[in-house]
Amino acid sequence: MDRVNISSGTPWEPVVGYSRAVRVGPYIHVSGTTATDADGKIVGADDAYAQAVQSIRNIESALKRVGSSLQDVVRTRMFVIKLADWEKIGKAHGEFFRDIRPATSMLAISGLVSPEMLVEIEAEAILPDGN
């Protein structure tokens, strides 16, 4: 099977050694994704809901680049800094995945790379036609 690595263009991808998304056959794995805009700036400072929305939009963008969409997502993982934000983050997740209903986890963690980041989301997708 061919492997396709998708980069978001951030300068730390080659330093750390990762890709925004990797597709092998029908399987797509999207790395932990935060609320950065095209310029690498954090969207929604101090707003967990806005950050979750931007993170999912970034995931959606990566999926599109490998011929997929949010409809193909079978699993998400949400890493949150403040467990008290779970409802805001859950609301954003529900707005995108209410009908798709992937398996998911929400985990409280002690921190992310930048102190402004409140949430990071991973996703896994499988293309239904196997291509």
Side-chain angles (χ1 to χ4, degrees), residues 23-99:
R23 177 179 172 182
V24 178
Y27 305 101
I28 303 156
H29 302 273
V30 183
S31 291
T33 303
T34 57
T36 52
D37 64 15
D39 297 323
K41 294 183 176 33
I42 303 296
V43 172
D46 298 321
D47 186 341
Y49 171 81
Q51 287 196 20
V53 167
Q54 183 65 40
S55 297
I56 295 168
R57 286 184 179 144
N58 290 347
I59 288 168
E60 183 176 37
S61 176
L63 290 169
K64 285 181 181 177
R65 292 181 60 199
V66 291
S68 184
S69 73
L70 292 178
Q71 292 293 321
D72 301 322
V73 172
V74 297
R75 176 133 180 82
T76 60
R77 290 177 192 87
M78 296 172 275
F79 302 92
V80 303
I81 299 303
K82 297 183 223 168
L83 196 51
D85 286 336
W86 81 267
E87 288 181 271
K88 296 172 189 171
I89 295 165
K91 178 182 180 208
H93 188 275
E95 289 171 0
F96 286 92
F97 293 109
R98 179 173 289 112
D99 297 327

